[in-house]
Every structure is written in structure tokens, then in C-alpha cells.
Amino acid sequence: MSTAERHREAASPAASDGRYARSGEYAGDAAEAGRPLWADDPVGRRRMPDAVRNAAVRAVLIVALTLVQAVIAFFCTLAGSWLAFPMVLSSVGSTVVATWGVLDVWVTRQVWNQRNGVVSAPNSTARQRRRERRRARREARAAERSAGGSPRRGAAGQLSHP
């Protein structure tokens, strides 16, 4: 269905009851035709791992509270309130905690990447694990062949991998 046809269909009085599909088609017609009512678009990036996402949410909350606290300390200072000095001191402490929160996100991400094999650095733990798995698979295949398993044959009666 072309874009022009969709626009014509959307403007028709039959489609005025508000049941529209995501693509602009009338929901009743799409269901009767056996088509899905909507199509999921592929996501641009993969979802962050849970541990990293938790650390990021924690860091955002801490930084937001620190900024609010700094603004309150500033206004208390301008007003000449007695609360200004304690607020400035606590803002300094909150800044240290916020820095720790942001570093926690970075460290959590690095640890997750190292443990789960996203980083492909030469000394990565994941690369070493892949090598060990490959070696184990090769040894298992060699043991299967030596135990008398039938060789795999191609279409011409040849071994598929010489």
C-alpha cells in the first residue's frame, strides 16, 4: 500500500472511529487481512546491562540531588541565611559522592564488558575463554573421530573439509 493510499484511507469517513494501526492503516482492515496491526522497529542500540543501568540511574539521581543542593546553598548564601554554611559544606560532600557515582558507572561498565566478552582487547578474559572453548570443541571432535564415528561426506563422496 502506497503512502498516498494510506492518506486517502485515513481521510475517509469509514476510518473515523479512531482505531488506527501504527502504520496508518485502519485497524479493522489490517486484522481482517491477516496483517499485524503494527511492526516493531529495530532499536538503534542494544539495551544496557542491568548492572550498568542501575549504576547509571543511581548516578543521575545523586548528581541531580547535588545540583539541587548547590542551588539551595547559593540562594541561602545570597539571602544571608544561617543555613548557607552547612549547605555549602554538604554540597562539597555531595560533590564527592556524585563523582564516585559517575565513576561507579564507568567501572561497572568496564567490569561487565570484561566478564561478558564485549571488549575484544588482546588480553581480554573473554578472548581467553573463547580460545579455551574452541580448543575443547576441537578436542571433542578429534575424540569423536578417533572413536570410530562416521566421517562427514560431501555430495561427491569427498570429505567436506580435507
Side-chain angles (χ1 to χ4, degrees):
M1 175 179 270
S2 71
T3 306
E5 290 171 343
R6 276 195 227 116
H7 284 295
R8 256 186 264 117
E9 208 174 283
S12 72
S16 63
D17 68 350
R19 294 186 302 165
Y20 289 94
R22 184 168 183 222
S23 64
E25 296 175 346
Y26 184 60
D29 294 342
E32 290 167 11
R35 294 184 306 245
L37 295 177
W38 63 84
D40 291 334
D41 294 332
V43 193
R45 285 189 290 176
R46 278 192 289 207
R47 183 175 164 172
M48 272 194 293
D50 287 339
V52 178
R53 193 171 53 252
N54 290 343
V57 168
R58 195 169 42 242
V60 165
L61 290 175
I62 291 170
V63 168
L65 287 173
T66 301
L67 288 174
V68 168
Q69 194 173 12
V71 168
I72 292 172
F74 174 74
F75 285 135
C76 285
T77 304
L78 286 181
S81 172
W82 64 271
L83 197 56
F85 184 68
M87 287 297 289
V88 168
L89 287 180
S90 65
S91 291
V92 170
S94 292
T95 303
V96 171
V97 173
T99 305
W100 166 84
V102 172
L103 284 174
D104 181 44
V105 174
W106 182 70
V107 168
T108 305
R109 184 175 161 270
Q110 295 297 327
V111 167
W112 193 90
N113 285 342
Q114 186 72 23
R115 286 183 182 161
N116 295 287
V118 175
V119 174
S120 185
N123 294 330
S124 146
T125 305
R127 183 172 284 189
Q128 183 180 359
R129 286 183 184 170
R130 277 196 305 268
R131 277 192 201 118
E132 291 169 3
R133 282 194 302 257
R134 265 187 252 131
R135 191 177 304 125
R137 269 187 260 138
R138 264 187 250 121
E139 290 171 4
R141 282 194 301 256
E144 184 180 295
R145 270 187 249 124
S146 66
S150 62
R152 298 181 195 170
R153 300 210 175 258
Q158 300 286 328
L159 289 175
S160 58
H161 297 291

